[in-house]
Amino acid sequence: MGAVLGVFSLASWVPCLCSGASCLLCSCCPNTKNSTVTRLIYAFILLLGTAVSCIMLTEGMETQLKKIPGFCEGGFKISVADIKADKDCDVLVGFKAVYRINFALAIFFFAFFLLMLKVKTSKDPRAAVHNGFWFFKIAAIVGIMVGSFYIPGGSFTSVWFVVGMVGAAFFILIQLVLLVDFAHSWNESWVSRMEEGNPRVWYAALLSVTTFFYVMSIIVVGLFYTYYTKPDGCTENKFFISINLILCIVVSIISIHPKIQEHQPRSGLLQSSVITLYTLYLTWSAMTNEPDRSCNPTLLSIITHIASPTMTPANSTVVVPTSAPPSKKAHFLDAENLLGLAVFVFCLLYSSIRTSSNSQVNKLTLSGSDSVILGDTNASGANDEEDGQPRRAVDNEKEGVQYSYSFFHLMLCLASLYIMMTLTSWYSPDARFQNVTSKWPAVWVKITSSWVCLLLYVWTLVAPLVLTSRDFS
């Protein structure tokens, strides 16, 4: 009897899985906007895919993947005769599974990027597909994932690695724009509180946070020079650290230049301090992929070395801890992966709930040029109820979308590629996933991304001075 009631209870959710996002909210959830709920659901789907990818890298799951017929030789096989026990399986099946899972997510979101081009309002029939039909969309993702495991290796591996590296680089730029927007919104909030209340308190808080970020940046640069360079080597690391340090100083000076302040009085050192820390993170991330292991210590080894320093004579040189080369054993999350995932999760969730007032950022990313920012409440109270029940998600996009549907899906597509590269440490696999190596292209992609990020931020500062005929207010 209980099983029957459970089936009917589950069946009652089927209409919700085929309709809009508002139906998925529980009765205890507060009223919110349909545009926000939809983005959060897509973000949850991507986070769920990330969690599955992480599970695939655990030692126990790799052991089970090696038992799947044909997965070590190529893709899944429907029927394989005389299957041998995979005792001799030397394939990094965890890496291979991560590539397949994120391939499916990227393909799904790219298809929706094409489908949602030029959607202006929620009255467009395609908007119903974007905001609803969750059961079919989840089923499609699962179907693509299953099908991707049947794709043989070979050229697919090398091509998808290049696609992943390029896509991840573009997502790094999107992360920068989101961080700029976050810092701008944060600064706006504090300035408004300064104008409303005691300005000294809020000014002190703003100054303290900015100072903290810059002090952290100075400490990080010192650690870079100490552990990622050597007096007689690591020339590339010395160049990366030095050039990015100089560029961050230049960017900080530009942000408080009188001409910039004249056109953008709300820009300042808070935004620049956030960008400085993010640039140093990208610099460190690039150095962690350097093939020379003597110039590439792990973060855990550095922390261990700092926490328990060895006693050495005054005239001796401290031995810098180095990271071990990539192994064929289970590769789960290390400190570098965790930090990259933390930045990704923050940017993903922020992009899902953001309603930015920064017109420059809106032009660069998520908000469409024809979007209309509507009020938090409806013009008529009639829309607040649906079939006699209070609506828990308000359709605030009947007059204009609150964000670009197509760009949001493109961002999630690139985020899938970024997750794939982060979880595999940007290592380059061979055709059969028997070996992975850290190569210089990954280093240069990351360090070039840091330069483009700084250039993009400077452009947001100087654009009002250059394009005087455009309205940036």
Side-chain angles (χ1 to χ4, degrees):
M1 185 64 179
V4 174
L5 292 176
V7 170
F8 280 107
S9 176
L10 180 62
S12 65
W13 276 87
V14 174
C16 276
L17 292 174
C18 301
S19 60
S22 60
C23 190
L24 296 177
L25 291 180
C26 61
S27 59
C28 61
C29 295
N31 289 345
T32 186
K33 299 175 182 178
N34 194 58
S35 59
T36 302
V37 175
T38 299
R39 283 181 287 178
L40 286 174
I41 295 175
Y42 279 116
F44 175 76
I45 291 174
L46 184 57
L47 289 175
L48 187 61
T50 303
V52 173
S53 298
C54 293
I55 293 174
M56 292 296 173
L57 292 173
T58 59
E59 186 173 0
M61 183 56 67
E62 286 197 336
T63 302
Q64 298 301 318
L65 287 173
K66 290 181 180 180
K67 297 178 181 179
I68 298 176
F71 196 46
C72 275
E73 291 76 11
F76 285 177
K77 291 184 170 63
I78 297 178
S79 61
V80 180
D82 300 328
I83 294 294
K84 297 180 181 179
D86 287 320
K87 295 180 180 179
D88 300 328
C89 180
D90 57 353
V91 175
L92 293 166
V93 289
F95 276 51
K96 192 173 182 179
V98 169
Y99 267 60
R100 299 306 197 272
I101 291 172
N102 288 279
F103 167 80
L105 290 170
I107 291 298
F108 172 82
F109 287 122
F110 185 76
F112 266 72
F113 157 70
L114 298 177
L115 180 63
M116 296 300 157
L117 287 171
K118 299 296 183 180
V119 173
K120 304 294 185 182
T121 70
S122 61
K123 298 175 183 178
D124 191 309
R126 292 175 295 170
V129 178
H130 172 76
N131 293 311
F133 298 96
W134 297 105
F135 173 80
F136 300 105
K137 288 188 285 192
I138 294 174
I141 293 175
V142 173
I144 300 173
M145 281 186 183
V146 174
S148 66
F149 277 82
Y150 288 90
I151 300 176
S155 58
F156 168 82
T157 301
S158 55
V159 170
W160 196 241
F161 172 76
V162 174
V163 172
M165 191 162 54
V166 175
F170 277 104
F171 186 73
I172 288 174
L173 301 182
I174 294 176
Q175 284 183 330
L176 165 88
V177 177
L178 291 171
L179 288 173
V180 170
D181 184 50
F182 171 74
H184 179 88
S185 301
W186 198 6
N187 186 65
E188 286 278 343
S189 176
W190 280 8
V191 169
S192 63
R193 287 186 173 92
M194 288 169 58
E195 295 173 350
E196 295 173 358
N198 189 345
R200 292 184 179 180
V201 175
W202 291 108
Y203 181 78
L206 182 62
L207 181 62
S208 298
V209 173
T210 304
T211 303
F212 172 76
F213 286 158
Y214 275 118
V215 169
M216 286 294 298
S217 301
I218 295 173
I219 294 174
V220 166
V221 170
L223 292 174
F224 285 171
Y225 278 117
T226 301
Y227 292 102
Y228 289 89
T229 64
K230 295 188 299 184
D232 56 346
C234 304
T235 305
E236 294 84 1
N237 286 358
K238 293 176 184 177
F239 170 74
F240 295 154
I241 300 169
S242 300
I243 191 65
N244 278 1
L245 175 61
I246 294 172
L247 292 175
C248 287
I249 294 174
V250 171
V251 167
S252 298
I253 295 174
I254 292 176
S255 67
I256 57 174
H257 190 276
K259 285 290 185 181
I260 300 295
Q261 290 292 308
E262 178 182 346
H263 289 79
Q264 298 193 69
R266 297 296 174 86
S267 69
L269 292 177
L270 176 61
Q271 295 93 319
S272 298
S273 65
V274 173
I275 299 309
T276 297
L277 266 180
Y278 184 65
T279 301
L280 293 177
Y281 160 72
L282 292 178
T283 307
W284 168 72
S285 182
M287 292 188 297
T288 59
N289 278 103
E290 185 171 337
D292 186 356
R293 294 292 156 184
S294 63
C295 302
N296 179 11
T298 63
L299 183 59
L300 183 59
S301 64
I302 294 175
I303 295 175
T304 304
H305 188 267
I306 295 174
S308 57
T310 56
M311 299 299 294
T312 56
N315 58 351
S316 64
T317 303
V318 177
V319 178
V320 179
T322 59
S323 58
S327 65
K328 294 185 179 181
K329 295 182 179 180
H331 172 88
F332 196 54
L333 299 181
D334 52 24
E336 290 83 353
N337 299 139
L338 289 174
L339 188 55
L341 286 178
V343 176
F344 155 74
V345 171
F346 173 81
C347 291
L348 178 64
L349 293 179
Y350 178 70
S351 68
S352 301
I353 63 176
R354 69 185 289 280
T355 304
S356 176
S357 60
N358 188 352
S359 60
Q360 296 177 53
V361 174
N362 290 339
K363 288 181 174 62
L364 285 171
T365 56
L366 300 179
S367 296
S369 58
D370 298 322
S371 67
V372 179
I373 304 300
L374 304 178
D376 292 338
T377 59
N378 291 329
S380 62
N383 292 331
D384 291 337
E385 293 188 0
E386 183 177 306
D387 297 332
Q389 298 293 330
R391 292 193 61 176
R392 294 183 292 276
V394 178
D395 185 1
N396 59 333
E397 299 182 305
K398 291 181 179 179
E399 301 300 327
V401 295
Q402 298 294 292
Y403 61 98
S404 170
Y405 288 2
S406 59
F407 186 88
F408 182 72
H409 284 290
L410 179 61
M411 183 192 74
L412 295 181
C413 172
L414 298 177
S416 303
L417 299 176
Y418 175 82
I419 286 299
M420 181 185 76
M421 300 303 295
T422 299
L423 292 181
T424 58
S425 298
W426 291 69
Y427 289 151
S428 176
D430 60 14
R432 296 191 64 242
F433 280 92
Q434 290 178 315
N435 293 288
V436 291
T437 54
S438 184
K439 296 183 178 180
W440 278 108
V443 178
W444 283 107
V445 165
K446 290 183 178 182
I447 204 68
T448 304
S449 298
S450 70
W451 297 336
V452 176
C453 285
L454 289 171
L455 180 62
L456 185 61
Y457 175 62
V458 171
W459 172 248
T460 65
L461 295 175
V462 303
L465 281 73
V466 178
L467 305 176
T468 55
S469 59
R470 294 187 62 180
D471 181 19
F472 287 90
S473 61

PDB file of all heavy atoms in Angstrom, residues 178-192:
ATOM      1  N   LEU A 178      32.563  38.580 -14.202  1.00  0.00           N
ATOM      2  CA  LEU A 178      31.663  38.387 -13.068  1.00  0.00           C
ATOM      3  C   LEU A 178      32.280  38.920 -11.776  1.00  0.00           C
ATOM      4  O   LEU A 178      31.580  39.497 -10.932  1.00  0.00           O
ATOM      5  CB  LEU A 178      31.324  36.905 -12.926  1.00  0.00           C
ATOM      6  CG  LEU A 178      30.442  36.319 -14.028  1.00  0.00           C
ATOM      7  CD1 LEU A 178      30.358  34.801 -13.904  1.00  0.00           C
ATOM      8  CD2 LEU A 178      29.054  36.932 -13.997  1.00  0.00           C
ATOM      9  N   LEU A 179      33.584  38.738 -11.609  1.00  0.00           N
ATOM     10  CA  LEU A 179      34.245  39.248 -10.412  1.00  0.00           C
ATOM     11  C   LEU A 179      34.273  40.774 -10.411  1.00  0.00           C
ATOM     12  O   LEU A 179      34.102  41.407  -9.360  1.00  0.00           O
ATOM     13  CB  LEU A 179      35.669  38.688 -10.325  1.00  0.00           C
ATOM     14  CG  LEU A 179      35.779  37.202  -9.978  1.00  0.00           C
ATOM     15  CD1 LEU A 179      37.227  36.732 -10.091  1.00  0.00           C
ATOM     16  CD2 LEU A 179      35.244  36.926  -8.581  1.00  0.00           C
ATOM     17  N   VAL A 180      34.479  41.374 -11.595  1.00  0.00           N
ATOM     18  CA  VAL A 180      34.417  42.840 -11.693  1.00  0.00           C
ATOM     19  C   VAL A 180      33.030  43.331 -11.330  1.00  0.00           C
ATOM     20  O   VAL A 180      32.861  44.313 -10.588  1.00  0.00           O
ATOM     21  CB  VAL A 180      34.803  43.297 -13.120  1.00  0.00           C
ATOM     22  CG1 VAL A 180      34.514  44.777 -13.303  1.00  0.00           C
ATOM     23  CG2 VAL A 180      36.279  43.020 -13.385  1.00  0.00           C
ATOM     24  N   ASP A 181      32.021  42.637 -11.843  1.00  0.00           N
ATOM     25  CA  ASP A 181      30.646  43.017 -11.542  1.00  0.00           C
ATOM     26  C   ASP A 181      30.348  42.867 -10.058  1.00  0.00           C
ATOM     27  O   ASP A 181      29.688  43.713  -9.447  1.00  0.00           O
ATOM     28  CB  ASP A 181      29.700  42.154 -12.367  1.00  0.00           C
ATOM     29  CG  ASP A 181      28.241  42.555 -12.192  1.00  0.00           C
ATOM     30  OD1 ASP A 181      27.955  43.759 -12.321  1.00  0.00           O
ATOM     31  OD2 ASP A 181      27.420  41.680 -11.922  1.00  0.00           O
ATOM     32  N   PHE A 182      30.837  41.789  -9.447  1.00  0.00           N
ATOM     33  CA  PHE A 182      30.632  41.576  -8.016  1.00  0.00           C
ATOM     34  C   PHE A 182      31.302  42.681  -7.206  1.00  0.00           C
ATOM     35  O   PHE A 182      30.703  43.234  -6.274  1.00  0.00           O
ATOM     36  CB  PHE A 182      31.191  40.215  -7.610  1.00  0.00           C
ATOM     37  CG  PHE A 182      31.221  39.999  -6.122  1.00  0.00           C
ATOM     38  CD1 PHE A 182      30.056  39.749  -5.416  1.00  0.00           C
ATOM     39  CD2 PHE A 182      32.420  40.060  -5.425  1.00  0.00           C
ATOM     40  CE1 PHE A 182      30.079  39.554  -4.040  1.00  0.00           C
ATOM     41  CE2 PHE A 182      32.462  39.874  -4.058  1.00  0.00           C
ATOM     42  CZ  PHE A 182      31.282  39.619  -3.361  1.00  0.00           C
ATOM     43  N   ALA A 183      32.556  43.014  -7.554  1.00  0.00           N
ATOM     44  CA  ALA A 183      33.259  44.069  -6.833  1.00  0.00           C
ATOM     45  C   ALA A 183      32.563  45.416  -7.014  1.00  0.00           C
ATOM     46  O   ALA A 183      32.468  46.213  -6.073  1.00  0.00           O
ATOM     47  CB  ALA A 183      34.708  44.146  -7.316  1.00  0.00           C
ATOM     48  N   HIS A 184      32.067  45.675  -8.226  1.00  0.00           N
ATOM     49  CA  HIS A 184      31.358  46.929  -8.481  1.00  0.00           C
ATOM     50  C   HIS A 184      30.070  47.000  -7.653  1.00  0.00           C
ATOM     51  O   HIS A 184      29.778  48.036  -7.033  1.00  0.00           O
ATOM     52  CB  HIS A 184      31.026  47.043  -9.962  1.00  0.00           C
ATOM     53  CG  HIS A 184      30.284  48.293 -10.327  1.00  0.00           C
ATOM     54  ND1 HIS A 184      30.926  49.462 -10.662  1.00  0.00           N
ATOM     55  CD2 HIS A 184      28.959  48.558 -10.380  1.00  0.00           C
ATOM     56  CE1 HIS A 184      30.012  50.399 -10.911  1.00  0.00           C
ATOM     57  NE2 HIS A 184      28.815  49.871 -10.752  1.00  0.00           N
ATOM     58  N   SER A 185      29.309  45.906  -7.632  1.00  0.00           N
ATOM     59  CA  SER A 185      28.064  45.885  -6.854  1.00  0.00           C
ATOM     60  C   SER A 185      28.352  46.037  -5.368  1.00  0.00           C
ATOM     61  O   SER A 185      27.619  46.721  -4.641  1.00  0.00           O
ATOM     62  CB  SER A 185      27.313  44.579  -7.115  1.00  0.00           C
ATOM     63  OG  SER A 185      27.002  44.436  -8.478  1.00  0.00           O
ATOM     64  N   TRP A 186      29.422  45.374  -4.922  1.00  0.00           N
ATOM     65  CA  TRP A 186      29.839  45.485  -3.523  1.00  0.00           C
ATOM     66  C   TRP A 186      30.193  46.924  -3.185  1.00  0.00           C
ATOM     67  O   TRP A 186      29.790  47.471  -2.155  1.00  0.00           O
ATOM     68  CB  TRP A 186      31.035  44.560  -3.304  1.00  0.00           C
ATOM     69  CG  TRP A 186      31.312  44.228  -1.871  1.00  0.00           C
ATOM     70  CD1 TRP A 186      30.573  44.563  -0.782  1.00  0.00           C
ATOM     71  CD2 TRP A 186      32.417  43.459  -1.392  1.00  0.00           C
ATOM     72  NE1 TRP A 186      31.139  44.060   0.349  1.00  0.00           N
ATOM     73  CE2 TRP A 186      32.273  43.384   0.012  1.00  0.00           C
ATOM     74  CE3 TRP A 186      33.505  42.843  -1.993  1.00  0.00           C
ATOM     75  CZ2 TRP A 186      33.186  42.707   0.820  1.00  0.00           C
ATOM     76  CZ3 TRP A 186      34.408  42.172  -1.195  1.00  0.00           C
ATOM     77  CH2 TRP A 186      34.254  42.103   0.184  1.00  0.00           C
ATOM     78  N   ASN A 187      30.953  47.556  -4.069  1.00  0.00           N
ATOM     79  CA  ASN A 187      31.354  48.950  -3.852  1.00  0.00           C
ATOM     80  C   ASN A 187      30.135  49.875  -3.863  1.00  0.00           C
ATOM     81  O   ASN A 187      30.027  50.795  -3.035  1.00  0.00           O
ATOM     82  CB  ASN A 187      32.351  49.362  -4.940  1.00  0.00           C
ATOM     83  CG  ASN A 187      32.919  50.747  -4.705  1.00  0.00           C
ATOM     84  OD1 ASN A 187      33.623  50.977  -3.730  1.00  0.00           O
ATOM     85  ND2 ASN A 187      32.614  51.676  -5.592  1.00  0.00           N
ATOM     86  N   GLU A 188      29.211  49.628  -4.807  1.00  0.00           N
ATOM     87  CA  GLU A 188      27.985  50.427  -4.879  1.00  0.00           C
ATOM     88  C   GLU A 188      27.184  50.325  -3.578  1.00  0.00           C
ATOM     89  O   GLU A 188      26.660  51.314  -3.066  1.00  0.00           O
ATOM     90  CB  GLU A 188      27.125  49.954  -6.052  1.00  0.00           C
ATOM     91  CG  GLU A 188      27.642  50.368  -7.417  1.00  0.00           C
ATOM     92  CD  GLU A 188      27.233  51.777  -7.769  1.00  0.00           C
ATOM     93  OE1 GLU A 188      26.313  52.301  -7.136  1.00  0.00           O
ATOM     94  OE2 GLU A 188      27.859  52.351  -8.667  1.00  0.00           O
ATOM     95  N   SER A 189      27.101  49.107  -3.053  1.00  0.00           N
ATOM     96  CA  SER A 189      26.337  48.900  -1.823  1.00  0.00           C
ATOM     97  C   SER A 189      26.948  49.654  -0.660  1.00  0.00           C
ATOM     98  O   SER A 189      26.243  50.293   0.133  1.00  0.00           O
ATOM     99  CB  SER A 189      26.273  47.399  -1.513  1.00  0.00           C
ATOM    100  OG  SER A 189      25.621  47.163  -0.289  1.00  0.00           O
ATOM    101  N   TRP A 190      28.255  49.613  -0.565  1.00  0.00           N
ATOM    102  CA  TRP A 190      28.913  50.300   0.546  1.00  0.00           C
ATOM    103  C   TRP A 190      28.823  51.813   0.399  1.00  0.00           C
ATOM    104  O   TRP A 190      28.639  52.532   1.376  1.00  0.00           O
ATOM    105  CB  TRP A 190      30.369  49.849   0.640  1.00  0.00           C
ATOM    106  CG  TRP A 190      30.500  48.530   1.338  1.00  0.00           C
ATOM    107  CD1 TRP A 190      29.476  47.707   1.718  1.00  0.00           C
ATOM    108  CD2 TRP A 190      31.714  47.895   1.728  1.00  0.00           C
ATOM    109  NE1 TRP A 190      29.973  46.595   2.324  1.00  0.00           N
ATOM    110  CE2 TRP A 190      31.341  46.661   2.356  1.00  0.00           C
ATOM    111  CE3 TRP A 190      33.050  48.203   1.608  1.00  0.00           C
ATOM    112  CZ2 TRP A 190      32.277  45.783   2.868  1.00  0.00           C
ATOM    113  CZ3 TRP A 190      33.989  47.326   2.125  1.00  0.00           C
ATOM    114  CH2 TRP A 190      33.607  46.130   2.737  1.00  0.00           C
ATOM    115  N   VAL A 191      28.957  52.306  -0.827  1.00  0.00           N
ATOM    116  CA  VAL A 191      28.879  53.760  -1.039  1.00  0.00           C
ATOM    117  C   VAL A 191      27.475  54.262  -0.699  1.00  0.00           C
ATOM    118  O   VAL A 191      27.315  55.326  -0.079  1.00  0.00           O
ATOM    119  CB  VAL A 191      29.246  54.107  -2.495  1.00  0.00           C
ATOM    120  CG1 VAL A 191      28.918  55.559  -2.798  1.00  0.00           C
ATOM    121  CG2 VAL A 191      30.730  53.844  -2.740  1.00  0.00           C
ATOM    122  N   SER A 192      26.443  53.495  -1.074  1.00  0.00           N
ATOM    123  CA  SER A 192      25.080  53.914  -0.754  1.00  0.00           C
ATOM    124  C   SER A 192      24.855  53.931   0.754  1.00  0.00           C
ATOM    125  O   SER A 192      24.168  54.812   1.284  1.00  0.00           O
ATOM    126  CB  SER A 192      24.071  52.980  -1.430  1.00  0.00           C
ATOM    127  OG  SER A 192      24.203  51.660  -0.949  1.00  0.00           O
TER     128      SER A 192
END
